[in-house]
mmCIF file of all heavy atoms in Angstrom:
data_model
loop_
_atom_site.group_PDB
_atom_site.id
_atom_site.type_symbol
_atom_site.label_atom_id
_atom_site.label_comp_id
_atom_site.label_asym_id
_atom_site.label_seq_id
_atom_site.Cartn_x
_atom_site.Cartn_y
_atom_site.Cartn_z
ATOM 1 N N ASP A 108 -1.788 4.081 -4.109
ATOM 2 C CA ASP A 108 -3.067 3.582 -3.980
ATOM 3 C C ASP A 108 -4.017 4.688 -3.620
ATOM 4 O O ASP A 108 -5.321 4.541 -3.996
ATOM 5 C CB ASP A 108 -3.068 2.538 -2.867
ATOM 6 C CG ASP A 108 -2.146 1.414 -3.192
ATOM 7 O OD1 ASP A 108 -2.749 0.533 -3.978
ATOM 8 O OD2 ASP A 108 -0.975 1.332 -2.842
ATOM 9 N N GLY A 109 -3.645 5.778 -2.851
ATOM 10 C CA GLY A 109 -4.647 6.856 -2.627
ATOM 11 C C GLY A 109 -3.990 7.986 -1.913
ATOM 12 O O GLY A 109 -2.825 7.877 -1.484
ATOM 13 N N VAL A 110 -4.715 9.081 -1.856
ATOM 14 C CA VAL A 110 -4.306 10.270 -1.187
ATOM 15 C C VAL A 110 -5.421 10.598 -0.247
ATOM 16 O O VAL A 110 -6.549 10.697 -0.524
ATOM 17 C CB VAL A 110 -4.146 11.405 -2.207
ATOM 18 C CG1 VAL A 110 -3.786 12.769 -1.554
ATOM 19 C CG2 VAL A 110 -3.146 10.972 -3.305
ATOM 20 N N ILE A 111 -5.024 10.748 1.082
ATOM 21 C CA ILE A 111 -5.968 11.130 2.095
ATOM 22 C C ILE A 111 -5.629 12.533 2.629
ATOM 23 O O ILE A 111 -4.603 12.902 2.934
ATOM 24 C CB ILE A 111 -5.860 10.116 3.348
ATOM 25 C CG1 ILE A 111 -6.185 8.721 2.945
ATOM 26 C CG2 ILE A 111 -6.921 10.670 4.468
ATOM 27 C CD1 ILE A 111 -6.178 7.670 4.058
ATOM 28 N N GLU A 112 -6.783 13.444 2.493
ATOM 29 C CA GLU A 112 -6.642 14.760 2.837
ATOM 30 C C GLU A 112 -7.407 14.932 4.264
ATOM 31 O O GLU A 112 -8.613 14.455 4.301
ATOM 32 C CB GLU A 112 -7.382 15.740 1.897
ATOM 33 C CG GLU A 112 -7.290 17.055 2.222
ATOM 34 C CD GLU A 112 -8.541 18.031 1.763
ATOM 35 O OE1 GLU A 112 -9.413 17.504 1.130
ATOM 36 O OE2 GLU A 112 -8.524 19.174 2.170
ATOM 37 N N LEU A 113 -6.774 15.447 5.172
ATOM 38 C CA LEU A 113 -7.373 15.704 6.550
ATOM 39 C C LEU A 113 -7.866 17.203 6.513
ATOM 40 O O LEU A 113 -7.007 18.152 6.257
ATOM 41 C CB LEU A 113 -6.345 15.490 7.564
ATOM 42 C CG LEU A 113 -6.842 15.041 8.942
ATOM 43 C CD1 LEU A 113 -7.693 13.853 8.859
ATOM 44 C CD2 LEU A 113 -5.588 14.794 9.879
ATOM 45 N N ARG A 114 -9.206 17.449 6.492
ATOM 46 C CA ARG A 114 -9.673 18.937 6.510
ATOM 47 C C ARG A 114 -9.975 19.366 7.805
ATOM 48 O O ARG A 114 -10.681 18.688 8.615
ATOM 49 C CB ARG A 114 -10.955 18.700 5.713
ATOM 50 C CG ARG A 114 -10.896 18.376 4.229
ATOM 51 C CD ARG A 114 -12.215 18.702 3.547
ATOM 52 N NE ARG A 114 -12.276 19.999 3.229
ATOM 53 C CZ ARG A 114 -11.974 20.512 2.095
ATOM 54 N NH1 ARG A 114 -11.804 19.707 1.007
ATOM 55 N NH2 ARG A 114 -12.126 21.816 1.783
ATOM 56 N N VAL A 115 -9.518 20.439 8.169
ATOM 57 C CA VAL A 115 -9.845 21.220 9.459
ATOM 58 C C VAL A 115 -9.898 22.705 9.200
ATOM 59 O O VAL A 115 -9.049 23.221 8.409
ATOM 60 C CB VAL A 115 -8.715 20.932 10.502
ATOM 61 C CG1 VAL A 115 -9.055 21.659 11.715
ATOM 62 C CG2 VAL A 115 -8.647 19.532 10.958
ATOM 63 N N ASP A 116 -10.928 23.322 9.826
ATOM 64 C CA ASP A 116 -10.936 24.735 9.429
ATOM 65 C C ASP A 116 -9.851 25.602 10.166
ATOM 66 O O ASP A 116 -9.293 25.100 11.164
ATOM 67 C CB ASP A 116 -12.396 25.403 9.729
ATOM 68 C CG ASP A 116 -12.663 25.474 11.147
ATOM 69 O OD1 ASP A 116 -11.953 26.178 12.057
ATOM 70 O OD2 ASP A 116 -13.600 24.695 11.648
ATOM 71 N N GLU A 117 -9.542 26.661 9.674
ATOM 72 C CA GLU A 117 -8.297 27.442 9.998
ATOM 73 C C GLU A 117 -8.381 27.881 11.526
ATOM 74 O O GLU A 117 -7.254 27.898 12.211
ATOM 75 C CB GLU A 117 -8.114 28.591 9.146
ATOM 76 C CG GLU A 117 -6.729 29.104 9.000
ATOM 77 C CD GLU A 117 -6.529 29.766 7.714
ATOM 78 O OE1 GLU A 117 -6.758 29.120 6.573
ATOM 79 O OE2 GLU A 117 -6.079 30.930 7.630
ATOM 80 N N GLU A 118 -9.431 28.209 12.058
ATOM 81 C CA GLU A 118 -9.653 28.729 13.374
ATOM 82 C C GLU A 118 -9.059 27.544 14.406
ATOM 83 O O GLU A 118 -8.140 27.739 15.293
ATOM 84 C CB GLU A 118 -10.972 28.986 13.842
ATOM 85 C CG GLU A 118 -11.080 30.148 14.827
ATOM 86 C CD GLU A 118 -12.628 30.362 15.144
ATOM 87 O OE1 GLU A 118 -13.472 30.486 14.128
ATOM 88 O OE2 GLU A 118 -13.019 30.452 16.365
ATOM 89 N N ALA A 119 -9.525 26.380 14.147
ATOM 90 C CA ALA A 119 -9.071 25.161 14.933
ATOM 91 C C ALA A 119 -7.652 24.854 14.796
ATOM 92 O O ALA A 119 -6.980 24.609 15.785
ATOM 93 C CB ALA A 119 -9.957 23.988 14.461
ATOM 94 N N LEU A 120 -7.122 25.067 13.515
ATOM 95 C CA LEU A 120 -5.647 24.935 13.381
ATOM 96 C C LEU A 120 -4.778 25.735 14.154
ATOM 97 O O LEU A 120 -3.821 25.241 14.838
ATOM 98 C CB LEU A 120 -5.317 25.158 11.939
ATOM 99 C CG LEU A 120 -5.932 24.229 10.786
ATOM 100 C CD1 LEU A 120 -5.629 24.696 9.364
ATOM 101 C CD2 LEU A 120 -5.495 22.787 11.083
ATOM 102 N N VAL A 121 -5.173 27.051 14.155
ATOM 103 C CA VAL A 121 -4.286 27.925 14.750
ATOM 104 C C VAL A 121 -4.361 27.786 16.361
ATOM 105 O O VAL A 121 -3.254 27.716 17.088
ATOM 106 C CB VAL A 121 -4.610 29.519 14.582
ATOM 107 C CG1 VAL A 121 -3.869 30.484 15.324
ATOM 108 C CG2 VAL A 121 -4.519 29.787 13.170
ATOM 109 N N LYS A 122 -5.511 27.361 16.913
ATOM 110 C CA LYS A 122 -5.464 26.950 18.210
ATOM 111 C C LYS A 122 -4.687 25.890 18.604
ATOM 112 O O LYS A 122 -4.055 25.767 19.647
ATOM 113 C CB LYS A 122 -7.031 26.682 18.663
ATOM 114 C CG LYS A 122 -7.744 27.821 19.308
ATOM 115 C CD LYS A 122 -9.101 27.311 19.848
ATOM 116 C CE LYS A 122 -10.128 28.412 19.744
ATOM 117 N NZ LYS A 122 -11.567 27.980 19.428
ATOM 118 N N ARG A 123 -4.883 24.785 17.820
ATOM 119 C CA ARG A 123 -4.023 23.560 18.100
ATOM 120 C C ARG A 123 -2.596 23.739 18.102
ATOM 121 O O ARG A 123 -1.775 23.307 18.865
ATOM 122 C CB ARG A 123 -4.329 22.610 17.069
ATOM 123 C CG ARG A 123 -5.657 21.857 17.359
ATOM 124 C CD ARG A 123 -5.755 20.562 16.413
ATOM 125 N NE ARG A 123 -7.151 20.129 16.205
ATOM 126 C CZ ARG A 123 -7.480 19.189 15.441
ATOM 127 N NH1 ARG A 123 -6.563 18.506 14.793
ATOM 128 N NH2 ARG A 123 -8.674 18.828 15.307
ATOM 129 N N LEU A 124 -2.030 24.508 16.953
ATOM 130 C CA LEU A 124 -0.660 24.730 16.701
ATOM 131 C C LEU A 124 -0.073 25.628 18.001
ATOM 132 O O LEU A 124 1.036 25.282 18.449
ATOM 133 C CB LEU A 124 -0.458 25.460 15.510
ATOM 134 C CG LEU A 124 -0.622 24.617 14.380
ATOM 135 C CD1 LEU A 124 -0.719 25.454 13.039
ATOM 136 C CD2 LEU A 124 0.576 23.624 14.223
ATOM 137 N N ALA A 125 -0.926 26.618 18.412
ATOM 138 C CA ALA A 125 -0.374 27.523 19.400
ATOM 139 C C ALA A 125 -0.087 26.824 20.763
ATOM 140 O O ALA A 125 0.670 27.178 21.622
ATOM 141 C CB ALA A 125 -1.361 28.609 19.628
ATOM 142 N N SER A 126 -0.748 25.640 20.922
ATOM 143 C CA SER A 126 -0.605 24.869 22.204
ATOM 144 C C SER A 126 0.467 23.853 22.195
ATOM 145 O O SER A 126 0.659 23.026 23.021
ATOM 146 C CB SER A 126 -1.943 24.299 22.695
ATOM 147 O OG SER A 126 -2.349 23.291 21.780
ATOM 148 N N ARG A 127 1.156 23.681 20.944
ATOM 149 C CA ARG A 127 2.067 22.683 20.806
ATOM 150 C C ARG A 127 3.390 22.816 21.169
ATOM 151 O O ARG A 127 4.214 22.016 21.733
ATOM 152 C CB ARG A 127 2.016 22.261 19.288
ATOM 153 C CG ARG A 127 2.549 20.882 18.935
ATOM 154 C CD ARG A 127 2.163 20.329 17.731
ATOM 155 N NE ARG A 127 2.744 21.207 16.590
ATOM 156 C CZ ARG A 127 2.736 20.840 15.447
ATOM 157 N NH1 ARG A 127 2.022 19.735 14.907
ATOM 158 N NH2 ARG A 127 3.418 21.524 14.362
ATOM 159 N N GLY A 128 3.953 24.140 20.898
ATOM 160 C CA GLY A 128 5.316 24.507 21.424
ATOM 161 C C GLY A 128 6.513 24.090 20.648
ATOM 162 O O GLY A 128 7.713 24.162 21.123
ATOM 163 N N ARG A 129 6.390 23.591 19.388
ATOM 164 C CA ARG A 129 7.565 23.347 18.529
ATOM 165 C C ARG A 129 8.185 24.621 18.072
ATOM 166 O O ARG A 129 7.529 25.745 18.087
ATOM 167 C CB ARG A 129 7.135 22.497 17.314
ATOM 168 C CG ARG A 129 8.301 21.571 16.755
ATOM 169 C CD ARG A 129 7.636 20.707 15.717
ATOM 170 N NE ARG A 129 7.276 21.391 14.483
ATOM 171 C CZ ARG A 129 6.656 20.810 13.515
ATOM 172 N NH1 ARG A 129 6.171 19.595 13.719
ATOM 173 N NH2 ARG A 129 6.411 21.486 12.389
ATOM 174 N N ALA A 130 9.510 24.679 17.706
ATOM 175 C CA ALA A 130 10.281 25.864 17.444
ATOM 176 C C ALA A 130 9.515 26.625 16.337
ATOM 177 O O ALA A 130 9.519 27.904 16.349
ATOM 178 C CB ALA A 130 11.765 25.439 17.061
ATOM 179 N N ASP A 131 8.880 25.927 15.377
ATOM 180 C CA ASP A 131 8.253 26.670 14.318
ATOM 181 C C ASP A 131 6.736 26.952 14.613
ATOM 182 O O ASP A 131 6.056 27.112 13.708
ATOM 183 C CB ASP A 131 8.442 26.067 12.889
ATOM 184 C CG ASP A 131 8.065 24.644 12.797
ATOM 185 O OD1 ASP A 131 7.685 24.044 13.903
ATOM 186 O OD2 ASP A 131 8.104 24.068 11.717
ATOM 187 N N ASP A 132 6.327 26.835 15.852
ATOM 188 C CA ASP A 132 4.956 27.096 16.192
ATOM 189 C C ASP A 132 4.740 28.468 16.796
ATOM 190 O O ASP A 132 3.783 28.699 17.544
ATOM 191 C CB ASP A 132 4.378 25.901 17.171
ATOM 192 C CG ASP A 132 4.210 24.631 16.484
ATOM 193 O OD1 ASP A 132 4.054 24.745 15.175
ATOM 194 O OD2 ASP A 132 4.210 23.654 17.149
ATOM 195 N N GLN A 133 5.570 29.444 16.454
ATOM 196 C CA GLN A 133 5.426 30.770 16.871
ATOM 197 C C GLN A 133 4.239 31.405 15.921
ATOM 198 O O GLN A 133 4.279 31.053 14.891
ATOM 199 C CB GLN A 133 6.683 31.596 16.739
ATOM 200 C CG GLN A 133 7.864 31.090 17.583
ATOM 201 C CD GLN A 133 7.636 30.922 18.921
ATOM 202 O OE1 GLN A 133 7.091 31.858 19.596
ATOM 203 N NE2 GLN A 133 7.945 29.769 19.547
ATOM 204 N N PRO A 134 3.444 32.318 16.483
ATOM 205 C CA PRO A 134 2.205 32.816 15.781
ATOM 206 C C PRO A 134 2.636 33.235 14.315
ATOM 207 O O PRO A 134 1.983 32.889 13.338
ATOM 208 C CB PRO A 134 1.784 33.955 16.712
ATOM 209 C CG PRO A 134 2.214 33.603 18.016
ATOM 210 C CD PRO A 134 3.465 32.880 17.906
ATOM 211 N N ASP A 135 3.620 33.984 14.097
ATOM 212 C CA ASP A 135 3.839 34.576 12.768
ATOM 213 C C ASP A 135 4.452 33.376 11.898
ATOM 214 O O ASP A 135 4.159 33.395 10.607
ATOM 215 C CB ASP A 135 4.798 35.747 12.807
ATOM 216 C CG ASP A 135 6.070 35.526 13.630
ATOM 217 O OD1 ASP A 135 6.043 34.641 14.497
ATOM 218 O OD2 ASP A 135 7.102 36.254 13.300
ATOM 219 N N VAL A 136 5.193 32.427 12.453
ATOM 220 C CA VAL A 136 5.639 31.270 11.528
ATOM 221 C C VAL A 136 4.458 30.380 11.258
ATOM 222 O O VAL A 136 4.468 29.870 10.100
ATOM 223 C CB VAL A 136 6.767 30.497 12.283
ATOM 224 C CG1 VAL A 136 7.329 29.345 11.534
ATOM 225 C CG2 VAL A 136 7.897 31.383 12.725
ATOM 226 N N ILE A 137 3.529 30.204 12.170
ATOM 227 C CA ILE A 137 2.354 29.456 11.938
ATOM 228 C C ILE A 137 1.569 30.114 10.808
ATOM 229 O O ILE A 137 1.177 29.327 9.907
ATOM 230 C CB ILE A 137 1.384 29.387 13.197
ATOM 231 C CG1 ILE A 137 2.039 28.639 14.304
ATOM 232 C CG2 ILE A 137 -0.001 28.816 12.829
ATOM 233 C CD1 ILE A 137 1.234 28.595 15.654
#
Side-chain angles (χ1 to χ4, degrees):
D108 294 282
V110 177
I111 297 179
E112 178 209 1
L113 207 53
R114 300 189 73 105
V115 176
D116 70 64
E117 206 151 299
E118 208 179 316
L120 295 176
V121 177
K122 260 191 214 147
R123 287 192 196 176
L124 285 164
S126 66
R127 196 164 69 173
R129 207 170 72 192
D131 55 355
D132 286 341
Q133 304 305 314
D135 49 336
V136 182
I137 291 174

